Each structure stands twice: as C-alpha cells, then as structure tokens.
Amino acid sequence: MTTALIQTPAWRRLQNHAQAMKGRRITDLFDNDPKRAADFSASLEGIRLDYSKQLIDREGLGFLMALARQQDLPGWIQRMAAGETLNATEGRAAGHMALRGAAGSRMEVQGADVMPAVHAVRQRMNAFAERVRSGQWRGYSGQTIQDVVNIGIGGSDYGPRMVREALRDEADGPRIHFVSNVDGAQIGGLLRWLDPARTLWIVTSKTFTTQETMTNAHTARRWLVQHAGEEAISRHFVAVSTNRAEIERFGIDPANMFEFWDWVGGRYSLWSAVGLAILLSVGPARFDALLEGARAMDQHFVSAPLERNLPVLLALIAIWNFNFLDYGTQVVVPYAQRLDKFIGWLQQLELESNGKTVTRDGARVNYRTSVELWGDVGSNAQHAFFQTLHQGPRVHPVDFILPMQGAPGLDEHHRILVANCLAQSAALMRGKTPAQVHEELHGKGLSGEALESAVPHRVFSGNRPSNTLLLPRLDAWHLGALLALYEHRTFVESVIWEINAFDQWGVELGKQLAQDVLKAMDGKDAGLDPSTIALLEQVRRSTQGQA
Ligand code: F6P
C-alpha cells in the first residue's frame, strides 16, 4: 500500500509549476518583481528569514500554502500544542513546547496539565545549579566542584553540548565536558587529568539503559570509587532520566535525580533536565532566556498565519526544493564559530525525526522524505565544500545563518565575516556566464587558446538557491528561538510527508546486532553473516597480537 499524496491536486499543481520554474532564473524573478526582496521574507523579533533567493514565485508560494492546508497543517500544529498523542507507534505526545512554557501557564500533555511538574523540576535544577556554582555543594573531600562531565549520547548529548558551546562566552560556572562515545579514548582522556574530588558527573539518559552511556557511567563510577569509596557517589553523581528504578540500581541517590518524561523525545530534550549542564555553565537567568526565546518561536508557530510563519516557510521551501525541484541535499552554514556544534544537533533532529519510508499509517511513501543534511561554520566551509556548491554537478540549497553582531572589540573580523556570508549567497544565485568570464580574462590580457581553454573552468551556472536567516545576535534568547525554529521546521515537513517525526525505530536493529556481535566475541554462535565473522576474526587476531 502506498500513500495517495502524490495524486492529490495540491501535489500535482506543484509538480506542474516546478516544471515551468525549472527553466527560469532567480535573478529574472527579481527583475520581474520589484518588491521581491522585501516581500519574500518574514520576521520575528528582529530574526529575519530572507527566502527571496529561492527559485520560487508568488504563485508557487500560494500552491505550497494550499498543500499545507490540504495536509491539515494548521490542525496538526494545534494538536501538537494541545499535547495530543502524535507519536502513535510509541503511544506518546511530543510535548517539548510545554518544557518552555511560562511559569503559571497551563499546558496539557495527553489531557493532563504538566506545567506544575515541569516547573517543580526546573526549580530543583535551579537550586542545585546555584549550590554547585556558588560553591555550597562540596565533593567528598570538602572541596568545591571545578569540572562537570555530562555523560550521554544522541539527544542526551548533542543539545546541551551545542548550547554550551554557543554560549561559551557567557559561561561563568564550572568547566563543562561531554562524554558520549563508547570509544574509551574520550573518557580515558578526561580521567587522566580530572580531579575526582572536584568533579561532578551528570549521567543523562532518557532510558538509562543506553549501552554507550551506561558503559561510560560505570567507568566513571569505578574511577571515583577507586579514589574515594562508594560513599562519595552521592556527592559526585547526579542523574537526568525518566527511569527512576535504573538510577537506583546504578547507585545514584534518587534525591539527585532530575526527572523528565516519556513525552519528551531525546532530540527535543535540551529544554528539560537534559539541559542541566547548560544551567551549570551559564546559570538560571540565561537558561531562562534560552527557554523564553524558544517560547516566543512556539507562540509564533502556533499563531502566525502560514504565509508569515517562519518554521512553516522554512519547511515548505525545503519541500519545494527537494520534492519538486529535485535538488540534492540540504546544506546549513552558520556564519558563527560558536555554532560549530549546531550541525550535529540538527542532523539528529532532522534525520532521526524524518528518516522514514512509511507514513503514520504504515503505508510506503513514494516520494522523498528526509533530506540529507550537512554543513559547517562559515567562513571555514568556504575553504572546504563550497567548491561543489558553486560548480558541482548537483544543486544543494543552503541555509545561511548570520548573527548581526560579532565578537566584541573585533569589528573588522565581523565586517569580513558578514561580507563573505552575503557574497556567497549572491554568488550562488548570480553565477558567472562564459561571456563574463571571457571579458574578465580578456581584461587581464589573455587571448587565443589560453583564454578559450581557461573559460569553462571559471564559469558558474548560478541559479543555486539559498535562505538567509539573520539573527540580531547570538545570545541565549535568540539561540532558543533559532533551535525551536528548526524543531518546528522538522515537524512541518513530517506533516506534509505524513510521517511520524517522533519515533526512531531505525536505530534498533544495529543495537540488537551489536549484542549478537558481543555474543560472538565471547565465542558463542550468534548467527552472523560470513563477512562479519571474517572481520571479527581479524579483529580478534589483531587484539591477541596486541596482548
Ligand atoms: O539513537 C537513538 C536514541 O534513542 C536517541 O533517540 C536518543 O537521543 C539516544 O538514543 C540516547 O538515548 P537515551 O537518552 O535514552 O540514553
């Protein structure tokens, strides 16, 4: 059974329109529509999304809005805001908006007001963070905490790690480290120099059963116990989880547990107790600002008309680019060094949410769903993969993200950064024709065969689309709004594609087979395939050689 989406009138209209638009140039769209630069943009509190450099016209935008209405996007947005069970395969809601709800507000998840519980945990987090940050919280030897290590993976790592990095300049708490990989090199490197008496460990895991996290957590626990005995655990380990029983089994005092709930998806969880490492780093006021920025984006998402709704526009443009214009992959380039962990977070958000090939009802999709997403910070990325963005065989639409204020006291750096960011999107759109290259080379004194053979290498096809997202500055508030913007973009895409953005069954098989490989390593028959057996055998021989 396949879904009927591509047979629907709204989809077909867009397909026809895309055929017509494929022969057009973005630069001509500007020539034909003098108000394009002003009108093809939308704003919220100084955040401006400029989508005028997309290969789309007013008619096409209208067709996209019709698709959104046909797919009942307004209804789905209200259902998410009302805390309905959107994640049917796990029987859960997607309640991350409630995590940034204002104190005193009422927000329901599956019929119950969750705000009292959300705020109770937030208050405990604040109180705990203040004790650690002020030096009241002491380790086993009576010393203050100097280093905090968050052990977690996936959503229990990317979010806090990325925000901590983005707000690094505002950090005024203990030093924060992250351990996610089960590769012992990561935790081993830290254990070589951390002081057990002054280190606090946060074990962050929604399930508290994730193999990588629990392996790292047990290694940290053993290390502490070797130095200071079991009784030190209650002063050096806290847990962030939904699973109280497992926390107790691990030996962490439930008084040191910061709870969250199964209606918070891992990749949407940094706003919950999963953000404890952020709070320890920058303090409650900035963490609140992060939540407030996200809340402003939530309110906009829930109430703004589709035509001016930033997440909706961002998602529908992606749908246009990938489902109708057949472009390659989504590239995201923040011109902000402090966003260098943003892409990893965004990859999990987009690809774990929408990397599905069946609809909510289990029908197979016959259209493209999740779009491969990659990128890096500008201007570094210009010296890595921008060659292919400009002259490679496939068109990869880009989201440029640019905070308008730069590092204090280094204005010249910011001027250059801004110039580069704006130049790249202009270059992608405009390109350079053979005639222009000719003229340019001629002006440099080239002629004849030397000129002719140089031309093709210097031609840029142009007509390559991009969005530019301007942020007033990269502070906690605007960061919160930015992250919520992309969260909602992901959800809108899933609604159009008719898929469940909130489960992740695709990660399970690898986890199961890892157990089989471990069994085979213990000499048991695990039914592995010949290739895997041969690889394992070579690993075994090589490790024996090492021993
Ligand atoms: O990768 C699968 C996944 O379940 C993610 O969705 C999640 O963020 C990550 O593992 C970590 O899970 P947990 O927080 O339960 O340790």
Side-chain angles (χ1 to χ4, degrees), residues 452-481:
E452 293 307 330
S453 63
V455 169
H457 302 282
R458 288 158 175 77
V459 169
F460 293 70
S461 63
N463 215 25
R464 298 189 171 209
S466 65
N467 291 316
T468 299
L469 190 66
L470 297 177
L471 304 177
R473 61 198 154 272
L474 190 56
D475 57 9
W477 196 97
H478 291 97
L479 179 66

Side-chain angles (χ1 to χ4, degrees), residues 172-314:
D172 54 4
R175 294 183 298 217
I176 312 286
H177 315 275
F178 291 87
V179 169
S180 51
N181 204 323
V182 75
D183 180 350
Q186 198 178 23
I187 193 163
L190 279 175
L191 294 183
R192 271 202 288 281
W193 64 268
L194 282 174
D195 178 354
R198 303 195 67 184
T199 300
L200 177 76
W201 298 87
I202 310 175
V203 186
T204 304
S205 174
K206 181 173 171 181
T207 54
F208 228 73
T209 56
T210 304
Q211 188 181 40
E212 294 94 328
T213 299
M214 297 324 295
T215 305
N216 280 319
H218 280 288
T219 298
R221 187 184 192 282
R222 268 195 309 277
W223 174 81
L224 177 67
V225 169
Q226 267 164 17
H227 283 93
E230 295 269 342
E231 47 303 341
I233 290 175
S234 63
R235 288 167 182 255
H236 290 272
F237 271 86
V238 301
V240 173
S241 187
T242 60
N243 190 343
R244 179 174 294 262
E246 280 300 325
I247 283 169
E248 286 182 39
R249 203 190 333 257
F250 182 87
I252 295 179
D253 185 346
N256 293 344
M257 169 183 176
F258 298 91
E259 191 186 15
F260 65 115
W261 306 273
D262 68 4
W263 45 263
V264 181
R267 51 196 175 275
Y268 300 88
S269 66
L270 71 92
W271 324 96
S272 70
V274 170
L276 188 60
I278 305 168
L279 192 51
L280 286 162
S281 173
V282 298
R286 293 187 189 97
F287 192 70
D288 281 351
L290 183 83
L291 299 177
E292 280 162 22
R295 189 188 312 149
M297 187 58 72
D298 293 344
Q299 284 163 356
H300 166 84
F301 180 51
V302 169
S303 61
L306 299 185
E307 290 75 4
R308 292 204 298 278
N309 195 309
L310 294 173
V312 171
L313 285 163
L314 214 46

